[in-house]
Amino acid sequence: MDQIAHRFVEVNGLKLHVAEIGSESSPAVVFLHGFPEIWYTWRHQMIAVANAGFRAIAPDYRGYGLSDCPPEPEKASFADFINDTVAILDFLAISKVFVIGKDFGASVAYPVALLHPERVAGIITLGFPFAPPGAFKNQFGLPKGFYPQRWQEPGRAEADFGRFDIKTVVRNIYILFSQSELQIAKENEEIMDLVKPGTPLPSWFTEEDLATYASLYEKSGFRTPLQVPYRCLHMVGSEVENPKIEAPAMLIMGEEDYVLKVPGMSEYIRSGEMKKYIPNIETVFVPHGTHFVPEQFPDKVNKLILDFLNHNKHLVVA
């Protein structure tokens, strides 16, 4: 971890935190986190790709972790995160990059490739697929009481989270999201109530890891994270009318990822429908993997990522 360097880059009027490791002359890989994640989510992957001759870059989105919060968090959008990602590449003078996105980071990674195809050599996403146009209106139905539905309601998550310290909130979310079932609250309960006091953390997630996450969310709070992704989910898949991505791509899913239980999701992923939008995509399922497969099985995920990068690195002019 001491090998990973940290800097702040000023883009779009904000100072954004970027963690990086590897030679500036090496092919670049940008890692985009989800929620409740942060740059630290990619610690295992960053070191592995740097040791294999790549440059790893992992920003905190605006309003997350050590990055500046936008002046009006409730107006933040996926477009801001997409634009910031491209602006970071410009700041670092990187013309072409591999993009790796976890969770809703997929909804940043794919639009970067759609809107700036000349900048993207390949894409890997974990825990979430390419979302077709109108995904959360037409294709994926979110059950009543499911956590994204609850967190879309202004004030509800704030009141729920506000009963606990930030460390407990992050702990509860890691416990919930590492399970294989959907996190659905009854009418008279909140999402935080779904975790019984004393429930242990997943075996692969240490108290030290939790403390790191908690310290970063104590810095940023949850105002922007609740806005993006949850309160602008309706915008996912809206970037272009007829999306088509020609770059090579890979989707890595844990076999026990709760996302596969979202109505319509497993059928969409397993049917090959994504190939209509991304002809060169491969889907890999990790046995026993949960939604946090990069942290749960880092060696397996690192091998998949490195095989993909090495196979396609000729597409990058370092």
Side-chain angles (χ1 to χ4, degrees):
M1 289 294 294
D2 293 342
Q3 306 164 57
I4 296 175
H6 299 265
R7 70 158 96 179
F8 289 87
V9 301
E10 193 153 347
V11 298
N12 298 326
L14 298 173
K15 287 183 179 177
L16 302 184
H17 170 249
V18 175
E20 58 183 324
I21 181 173
S23 167
E24 291 187 7
S25 63
S26 297
V29 185
V30 63
F31 291 90
L32 303 172
H33 64 79
F35 178 81
E37 295 147 342
I38 212 70
W39 77 264
Y40 182 79
T41 299
W42 299 111
R43 59 200 179 278
H44 305 298
Q45 286 70 46
M46 291 179 74
I47 292 168
V49 303
N51 287 343
F54 295 86
R55 179 185 183 186
I57 299 156
D60 293 341
Y61 301 122
R62 60 171 62 200
Y64 278 76
L66 299 176
S67 290
D68 282 353
C69 288
E72 297 180 276
E74 288 74 21
K75 293 183 179 179
S77 69
F78 277 106
D80 293 325
F81 288 18
I82 295 160
N83 293 337
D84 287 347
T85 301
V86 176
I88 289 168
L89 298 180
D90 290 342
F91 184 96
L92 299 176
I94 296 170
S95 59
K96 203 161 190 177
V97 68
F98 291 100
V99 184
I100 301 182
K102 161 75 170 56
D103 185 63
F104 84 84
S107 299
V108 180
Y110 286 121
V112 169
L114 282 168
L115 298 169
H116 306 275
E118 75 287 352
R119 305 293 296 269
V120 176
I123 309 166
I124 301 174
T125 62
L126 302 98
F128 199 79
F130 172 81
F136 288 98
K137 294 177 184 174
N138 312 317
Q139 196 146 3
F140 309 138
L142 299 182
K144 186 178 179 183
F146 187 29
Y147 79 89
Q149 294 278 51
R150 287 294 181 86
W151 293 354
Q152 284 170 2
E153 299 177 35
R156 187 153 193 173
E158 289 87 339
D160 186 14
F161 293 3
R163 298 177 293 153
F164 306 94
D165 60 33
I166 284 178
K167 189 173 184 179
T168 301
V169 172
V170 176
R171 174 190 289 272
N172 288 352
I173 294 171
Y174 252 83
I175 290 169
L176 283 173
F177 287 15
S178 63
Q179 297 171 0
S180 61
E181 299 302 319
L182 298 183
Q183 307 80 6
I184 296 176
K186 297 173 186 170
E187 189 100 12
N188 60 346
E189 66 180 353
E190 299 299 329
I191 299 301
M192 290 293 105
D193 297 331
L194 298 177
V195 180
K196 294 177 182 176
T199 302
L201 285 168
S203 60
W204 41 264
F205 193 73
T206 68
E207 288 290 341
E208 184 181 0
D209 294 332
L210 176 62
T212 300
Y213 277 92
S215 68
L216 293 167
Y217 276 95
E218 281 164 5
K219 159 73 170 59
S220 65
F222 294 112
R223 285 180 70 189
T224 306
L226 286 170
Q227 173 64 21
V228 186
Y230 302 105
R231 292 171 188 168
C232 47
L233 268 181
H234 60 286
M235 295 301 296
V236 171
S238 65
E239 299 79 19
V240 297
E241 196 171 327
N242 297 302
K244 193 72 171 283
I245 295 173
E246 298 294 348
M250 175 182 284
L251 169 63
I252 301 171
M253 295 292 302
E255 280 189 343
E256 297 176 13
D257 191 329
Y258 73 85
V259 169
L260 294 169
K261 301 285 180 67
V262 172
M265 187 68 76
S266 181
E267 294 82 357
Y268 170 69
I269 291 172
R270 296 177 191 276
S271 70
E273 187 181 343
M274 268 186 297
K275 285 186 175 286
K276 289 196 309 189
Y277 309 105
I278 314 171
N280 300 313
I281 191 166
E282 176 188 5
T283 301
V284 180
F285 291 91
V286 177
H288 311 296
T290 68
H291 192 59
F292 297 112
V293 70
E295 296 176 274
Q296 180 187 13
F297 294 123
D299 292 343
K300 292 180 182 178
V301 169
N302 292 351
K303 183 178 188 310
L304 289 169
I305 288 174
L306 288 172
D307 286 349
F308 179 92
L309 295 177
N310 285 321
H311 184 72
N312 294 293
K313 68 180 177 182
H314 65 281
L315 300 173
V316 177
V317 179

